[in-house]
Amino acid sequence: MAIQYFTATSVDGFIADPEHSLSWLLSRNVDAEAPMSYQGFIQSVGALVMGASTYRWLLEHEGAEAPWPYDVPCWVFSHHGLQARPGDIRFVQGSVATVHREMAAVAGERNIWVVGGGDLAGQFADAGLLDEVWVQYAPVALGAGAPLLPRRLELSLIEVARNADFACVRYGVVKES
Ligand SMILES: NC(=O)c1ccc[n+]([C@@H]2O[C@H](COP(=O)([O-])OP(=O)(O)OC[C@H]3O[C@@H](n4cnc5c(N)ncnc54)[C@H](OP(=O)(O)O)[C@@H]3O)[C@@H](O)[C@H]2O)c1
């Protein structure tokens, strides 16, 4: 089981623009059959975790009454009460290390997907729990927005692929021995 941060980003390292829009991303085509595609990645995911902004984006763009798009349990970090929606969604706060134990028990042999944002992925890295970073680089610069990974973090290159206009890169997190 690995904890993997999988996300799309602009080439200058933003996963959403300053208005939390993903129009720069969702307007582009991808090939579901290509190596390192989201569709391949999600097959091995047994639990997912996201921050409040990412959850709010999903609520706004999918609709609060729409079926939850994931069939594995999801943990949402927030210090505030967030609107619930149908699905196995567990609202939590505080230490990712504490919540990680519960997620790992549910995920079993499957992987944990850190959906975002970047600071939440960084909290997993700070706790020594982040194993991989999968980045799908869109051919655009945004200039500002939500950061990909606002941390100093050593990575090792594992895999590189092309999916339509995206450069897909898989990194391992180099952990202190
Ligand atoms: N490009 C992509 O593929 C992609 C992927 C994922 C997300 N996104 C987008 O990127 C943006 C990310 O937004 P973001 O940078 O604000 O990150 P975020 O992680 O989605 O949300 C940050 C919020 O999560 C809560 N949080 C984080 N850690 C916590 C902790 N340990 N305990 C309690 N609450 C915690 C806090 O919310 P409270 O203030 O409620 O406490 C914090 O303000 C969103 O617009 C999202 O839609 C893009």
Side-chain angles (χ1 to χ4, degrees):
M1 187 267 279
I3 302 187
Q4 299 164 316
Y5 175 36
F6 179 109
T7 190
T9 182
S10 64
V11 293
D12 53 347
F14 298 107
I15 63 171
D17 80 8
E19 283 75 44
H20 286 281
S21 170
L22 299 183
S23 59
W24 55 274
L25 170 63
L26 301 178
S27 56
R28 298 172 197 278
N29 295 323
V30 290
D31 175 2
E33 306 298 324
M36 298 182 62
S37 71
Y38 166 79
Q39 288 80 1
F41 170 84
I42 194 74
Q43 302 300 321
S44 304
V45 170
L48 43 101
V49 56
M50 64 182 65
S53 304
T54 301
Y55 178 74
R56 277 195 212 96
W57 185 92
L58 278 166
L59 279 189
E60 284 169 20
H61 290 82
E62 303 264 337
E65 299 307 318
W68 183 238
Y70 306 107
D71 60 6
V72 297
C74 176
W75 281 258
V76 178
F77 274 87
S78 178
H79 298 98
H80 303 96
L82 295 173
Q83 183 182 354
R85 56 174 293 169
D88 188 344
I89 303 164
R90 309 174 189 197
F91 298 101
V92 290
Q93 60 178 285
S95 158
V96 298
T98 303
V99 177
H100 158 259
R101 285 191 274 278
E102 188 186 333
M103 290 190 292
V106 169
E109 298 291 306
R110 304 176 86 196
N111 299 322
I112 296 173
W113 174 24
V114 182
V115 183
D119 184 72
L120 184 65
Q123 292 176 49
F124 278 89
D126 292 345
L129 293 168
L130 190 65
D131 297 306
E132 294 183 0
V133 178
W134 293 51
V135 183
Q136 320 269 306
Y137 291 94
V140 61
L142 296 175
L148 168 65
L149 192 43
R151 291 290 193 285
R152 171 75 187 262
L153 194 59
E154 290 297 322
L155 303 171
S156 61
L157 183 62
I158 298 175
E159 190 177 355
V160 177
R162 179 177 184 165
N163 186 333
D165 283 343
F166 290 83
C168 309
V169 186
R170 178 183 180 187
Y171 302 99
V173 176
V174 177
K175 300 191 180 180
E176 290 175 18
S177 53

